[in-house]
Amino acid sequence: MNNRSDTVLRGSNDVRERIACALCARTQSVIIDRYGYNTSRLAVCCSGKWEGKRLFAKILLADPYPIPPRFRAPWEPFHRTSVPVRAITEQIDTEWNMTLNMLRLSGGRSVPVPLGRSLAARTIVWEEAGGTSLVRALKWSRLRGSMATAGAEALLKAGSWLRGVHEASQQGMEVIEARDLIQTAIGLSRQKQRNAGHYESLASKILEDWLRERGATDSFKVPRALTHGDFCLSNLLWKTGGKQLAVIDFELSGFRPIYYDLFALIADLRAMLLNPLIPKSVIQSWEQSFWQGYGQTSTEILAFVKALALARVFYYHFSRLLTRRERKGLIGGINAQLYRTFLEGRIITQRLDLPPELAHSHQI
């Protein structure tokens, strides 16, 4: 990471030239509507037009390119100094090839068509996927009932799409040594309890309860297949008019146990329960629609995914409240303290459905 070299873009003309290079087109034929950094600031994302088509382009800035796991499992320790990286040329090839693989495996459904790439320009271009992000739809669902209905329809299709990709790319089964993984997670949790003891201990309790319910069974098998790697609400777009789903962003795709994608989506939905302005009933209906679309799933995988998703609310989201001041400044820190004082207890018992004695078993 210390040897990283970041590209600095020189304005809109530079952006147009890079996109034109990826398309093997004249610079004058490319029209840019807007561009800006992505959330990680590792790439610049652009939208515009070329030969009558709407396009979306991604210009990678960092070389090597960091690829941290988006939804880290609790037994995976995270060290900021050892984030996995890929050479930028390898990353461009990976995103390009994974897009083509997803197109093939899904029968051409719901995946934006790649239009061009350039290793020299560090750029990949796709047809633009129109529609509303499901994150935005969920946040507006309280005020617009149509958004709630549309999201449920979208997640029904998303579940079906994901199941199709998993089944078409399956490469055998992988044994999940559940007890060993959970015990590792609990051990890591206890190491961090000095800084976030209440939240980490609640995450441990959730995982311990799941182990206890399993009884003597220590392991189970999970299909191994091509996974999206970041299958969350922000990467799912929905066009209500044509009832069209678009799945985007394959930079973290790879072969893994399929629970990884299931965990990512369910964990994202469970995190939305922390926002009291989003109706709980809508979140629950969206989750139900997703599982209905995904189809029959073993009770072991279902319980495993749901326990991991609920635990993540505590070991990741709640724990971040304690560092919000450092990350967001004084106002952010005050807001976090107000949330913890006035909302946290009700969120845990009424929206996450944990018993009061568990929620209050540890004092912060």
Side-chain angles (χ1 to χ4, degrees):
M1 295 294 292
N2 292 333
N3 297 321
R4 201 175 89 183
S5 171
D6 289 5
T7 294
V8 177
L9 296 181
R10 303 181 306 277
S12 58
N13 286 335
D14 191 9
V15 170
R16 290 177 64 204
E17 288 171 2
R18 289 174 183 272
I19 293 174
C21 182
L23 294 170
C24 298
R26 294 180 297 107
T27 303
Q28 294 83 353
S29 67
V30 176
I31 299 172
I32 302 300
D33 296 334
R34 59 185 182 275
Y35 66 94
Y37 290 109
N38 65 357
T39 53
S40 67
R41 300 185 70 84
L42 297 172
V44 166
C45 298
C46 325
S47 62
K49 296 179 183 177
W50 171 65
E51 293 189 349
K53 296 179 181 178
R54 295 292 309 173
L55 65 81
F56 173 83
K58 181 178 177 181
I59 302 172
L60 283 68
L61 303 177
D63 187 14
Y65 194 82
I67 47 170
R70 175 74 164 78
F71 287 86
R72 179 178 55 84
W75 53 80
E76 298 173 344
F78 175 68
H79 302 290
R80 293 185 182 276
T81 57
S82 59
V83 175
V85 296
R86 289 191 187 120
I88 199 165
T89 53
E90 181 185 356
Q91 181 62 25
I92 290 171
D93 283 341
T94 296
E95 292 195 45
W96 179 266
N97 292 331
M98 285 300 176
T99 303
L100 294 176
N101 282 338
M102 292 292 183
L103 267 172
R104 176 178 56 83
L105 293 170
S106 64
R109 294 183 299 127
S110 304
V111 179
V113 176
L115 299 177
R117 61 176 167 166
S118 169
L119 300 181
R122 299 184 169 194
T123 301
I124 314 173
V125 186
W126 297 266
E127 285 188 358
E128 187 174 66
T132 301
S133 161
L134 291 193
V135 169
R136 185 166 182 264
L138 187 55
K139 290 179 178 179
W140 279 94
S141 62
R142 186 183 189 91
L143 300 176
R144 298 176 61 182
S146 60
M147 289 285 194
T149 303
E153 293 176 335
L155 280 176
L156 184 70
K157 280 201 171 184
S160 175
W161 181 91
L162 187 63
R163 184 59 173 259
V165 169
H166 286 169
E167 289 187 340
S169 62
Q170 183 175 338
Q171 294 185 347
M173 306 290 285
E174 182 166 321
V175 176
I176 304 300
E177 300 291 349
R179 185 169 296 276
D180 291 345
L181 292 177
I182 298 304
Q183 293 293 357
T184 299
I186 292 170
L188 289 172
S189 176
R190 287 172 178 160
Q191 291 175 19
K192 295 185 288 185
Q193 283 184 19
R194 176 179 298 178
N195 297 323
H198 176 66
Y199 303 129
E200 291 290 347
S201 59
L202 281 174
S204 295
K205 184 68 167 61
I206 291 164
L207 298 175
E208 286 171 344
D209 287 348
W210 177 81
L211 269 183
R212 192 177 302 111
E213 291 172 4
R214 285 188 55 76
T217 307
D218 288 345
S219 62
F220 57 93
K221 292 183 179 180
V222 176
R224 182 177 177 84
L226 184 62
T227 60
H228 180 282
D230 192 8
F231 198 74
C232 58
L233 298 175
S234 60
N235 287 329
L236 301 174
L237 309 180
W238 181 250
K239 282 185 179 179
T240 302
K243 298 188 181 299
Q244 294 179 335
L245 173 75
V247 184
I248 61 173
D249 193 358
F250 302 107
E251 74 172 21
L252 299 178
S253 298
F255 282 89
R256 305 179 182 91
I258 62 164
Y259 76 76
Y260 195 94
D261 281 340
L262 305 176
F263 166 51
L265 194 280
I266 301 306
D268 209 20
L269 284 171
R270 295 296 170 87
M272 295 298 174
L273 289 168
L274 300 183
N275 185 341
L277 298 180
I278 299 175
K280 178 181 177 181
S281 60
V282 173
I283 297 171
Q284 291 174 326
S285 72
W286 283 26
E287 182 175 334
Q288 183 178 4
S289 292
F290 171 74
W291 287 120
Q292 182 181 348
Y294 193 78
Q296 186 173 1
T297 308
S298 75
T299 55
E300 292 170 323
I301 294 176
L302 275 173
F304 186 58
V305 166
K306 290 180 179 181
L308 289 180
L310 182 56
R312 188 177 192 270
V313 170
F314 292 95
Y315 73 74
Y316 180 77
H317 292 286
F318 270 128
S319 292
R320 283 171 64 84
L321 290 175
L322 301 177
T323 60
R324 189 170 177 83
R325 179 167 180 170
E326 290 86 349
R327 294 181 291 106
K328 301 292 186 179
L330 178 61
I331 299 301
I334 292 173
N335 288 338
Q337 186 58 50
L338 291 172
Y339 184 95
R340 294 172 63 202
T341 301
F342 297 107
L343 291 176
E344 180 180 297
R346 281 182 291 170
I347 294 291
I348 290 174
T349 57
Q350 297 176 21
R351 289 176 67 85
L352 297 176
D353 295 328
L354 293 180
E357 61 271 17
L358 179 59
H360 301 296
S361 60
H362 301 270
Q363 296 301 316
I364 301 177

